[in-house]
Amino acid sequence: MKKKYIVTPGPVDVPPQVLLAMAQPIIHHRSPEYTPIFKEVNEGLKYVFQTANPVLTFASSGSGAMESAVVNLLSPGDKMLAIVGGKFGERWFDIGKAYGLDPIIENVEWGYGVDPGRIAEQLKNNPDIKVVYSTLCESSTGALMNIKALADTVSKTDAILVVDAISGLLTTPLKTDEWNIDVVVGGSQKALMTPPGLAFASVNNKAWEMVKKSKLPKFYFSWDKARKNLEKDTTPFTPAITTIFGLQAALKMIKEEGIENVWKRHDRLASAMRAGVKALGLDVYTKAVAPTLTAISVPEGVDGKAWPKVLRDKFGVTVAGGQGDVTGKIIRIAQMGYASTFDVTVALSAVELSLSDMGYKVNIGAGVKAALEYLDQNK
Ligand SMILES: Cc1ncc(COP(=O)(O)O)c(C=O)c1O
């Protein structure tokens, strides 16, 4: 028997309350039973997204909402700017390219956050940029972007700011309306503690004005169709009813805890994790650390491609390896969503035992001790 743990930056462990909610029999989505559930979910999403604007829900993975944020805002020939500091920033570029656009790239060194001053300069040099696309937490590196400063810069221009908060949402403060962020996209399988399959987009009035002029082709992901239906507490197409049940339960838990406490919990657990990593003499890869996940540099002499496999196959702990340029160079561990103290210690124990198993000299227990001391001193 092997007990399994998942500590990847999504999909994440799902609480029993959510799993049980998903065991309910299917009801019809155009029925008096479903409408109040979807209504409650929409109110809960506004709270999570910190917005009074509608949050559109799609039955897709998070990338569907990203694609929707390109096709509903832009027209052929429009200029977009993609902030690229890792694999997920690259996705904005790839989607733009797929729709025949020629995105401008603002390259950010992997592991670092974007300099908002650079974006101000780009917007000054290219006043016809319509949309700036950023990531909140660049999950491939663990880097946090300074979205507040970015929104401050972009909101002073005619351009709009779209933020991929798929991994970052709920792990760190993101105040959509207060900070003037025009569009935020999210996904269910991260700190929303729900299985994969739902994608979200919150859209403000400045962005809706752009939607009216957008001419890129769209059908399933049409925001206009989604909004008209949302006004009647429904969706244009069959929703992922079972996953909506789960999300309803997850949103209830988040509301009970309070969003500020959710942000604080992620920060505290990630800080403990980093304290543990450092106590083992290992390096945190990321320079602009996000509380979303911890990226650990693979130490000299350890096979970085084999390490995640040893963690999973020998110790039952699934972590994420590196992607793209950092394949084999980092592993990524998250305490995201349904996570508490002992998720940190499980992950660190597994790091310690797997390294030792691979012949790397490690002071067994030192990481766990440092993490527990941090948690004890920071209640
Ligand atoms: C920051 C970020 N953006 C986009 C995605 C893509 O989301 P999905 O795999 O749900 O399409 C992910 C998933 O890991 C992510 O972390």
Side-chain angles (χ1 to χ4, degrees), residues 32-81:
E33 277 175 286
Y34 182 74
T35 307
I37 295 170
F38 192 50
K39 209 170 172 161
E40 187 183 316
V41 162
N42 289 323
E43 282 314 305
L45 286 171
K46 285 184 186 176
Y47 176 64
V48 166
F49 279 74
Q50 295 281 285
T51 181
N53 292 308
V55 181
L56 311 174
T57 296
F58 299 98
S60 80
S61 83
S63 301
M66 292 177 75
E67 180 160 341
S68 82
V70 173
V71 299
N72 284 280
L73 291 167
L74 296 171
S75 299
D78 275 353
K79 248 188 205 172
M80 63 176 271
L81 172 73

Side-chain angles (χ1 to χ4, degrees), residues 80-319:
M80 63 176 271
L81 172 73
I83 298 172
V84 180
K87 287 302 283 177
F88 293 106
E90 258 170 46
R91 187 157 303 177
W92 285 127
F93 172 83
D94 292 342
I95 297 170
K97 269 286 194 206
Y99 281 93
L101 303 176
D102 190 15
I104 299 173
I105 297 183
E106 175 61 31
N107 271 313
V108 177
E109 193 176 340
W110 281 40
Y112 288 79
V114 64
D115 170 7
R118 283 284 311 143
I119 303 306
E121 218 171 287
Q122 287 272 23
L123 288 167
K124 204 167 145 213
N125 296 339
N126 302 279
D128 49 348
I129 289 174
K130 292 257 171 69
V131 185
V132 175
Y133 291 91
S134 181
T135 317
L136 171 58
C137 168
E138 174 49 72
S139 320
S140 61
T141 66
L144 186 70
M145 303 291 158
N146 185 347
I147 296 298
K148 186 171 189 285
L150 212 53
D152 194 47
T153 302
V154 179
S155 65
K156 292 189 180 109
T157 70
D158 289 336
I160 69 161
L161 175 65
V162 175
V163 177
D164 162 7
I166 292 171
S167 65
L169 193 69
L170 284 168
T171 70
T172 183
L174 185 73
K175 301 187 176 176
T176 302
D177 287 359
E178 195 182 312
W179 295 354
N180 281 319
I181 312 168
D182 303 297
V183 175
V184 175
V185 302
S188 53
Q189 79 275 26
K190 310 273 179 172
L192 272 164
M193 310 186 288
T194 303
L198 297 174
F200 314 100
S202 82
V203 186
N204 75 1
N205 288 336
K206 187 176 172 189
W208 280 115
E209 286 308 308
M210 206 172 272
V211 173
K212 286 183 198 161
K213 293 178 210 138
S214 157
K215 294 209 166 43
L216 280 179
K218 53 201 142 280
F219 180 75
Y220 183 76
F221 287 115
S222 161
W223 283 358
D224 190 43
K225 263 200 279 236
R227 172 151 92 161
K228 284 185 182 134
N229 277 268
L230 188 57
E231 281 162 8
K232 294 178 270 164
D233 296 304
T234 187
T235 43
F237 310 106
T238 309
I241 298 166
T242 302
T243 320
I244 294 283
F245 289 159
L247 181 60
Q248 182 189 25
L251 288 167
K252 197 160 165 250
M253 290 172 72
I254 291 162
K255 220 155 186 191
E256 275 166 14
E257 184 175 0
I259 198 163
E260 283 85 4
N261 294 327
V262 175
W263 293 331
K264 275 189 213 147
R265 177 166 51 82
H266 282 89
D267 188 50
R268 180 169 172 265
L269 296 180
S271 301
M273 186 69 197
R274 290 195 299 271
V277 168
K278 286 176 193 158
L280 288 171
L282 302 173
D283 291 325
V284 171
Y285 166 78
T286 318
K287 299 295 177 261
V289 287
T292 315
L293 65 113
T294 304
I296 308 172
S297 297
V298 175
E300 267 311 297
V302 171
D303 178 345
K305 283 190 186 158
W307 191 13
K309 293 193 184 104
V310 171
L311 276 159
R312 185 193 60 208
D313 300 338
K314 208 151 185 186
F315 295 94
V317 178
T318 301
V319 306

Side-chain angles (χ1 to χ4, degrees), residues 311-365:
L311 276 159
R312 185 193 60 208
D313 300 338
K314 208 151 185 186
F315 295 94
V317 178
T318 301
V319 306
Q323 298 170 288
D325 291 356
V326 289
T327 302
K329 295 190 179 142
I330 61 170
I331 64 164
R332 296 170 299 139
I333 297 180
Q335 285 76 40
M336 186 191 267
Y338 184 51
S340 68
T341 303
F342 302 109
D343 294 283
V344 177
T345 52
V346 163
L348 280 168
S349 323
V351 163
E352 294 174 0
L353 291 175
S354 59
L355 282 176
S356 177
D357 193 72
M358 294 177 80
Y360 182 81
K361 204 168 154 12
V362 65
N363 187 0
I364 294 286

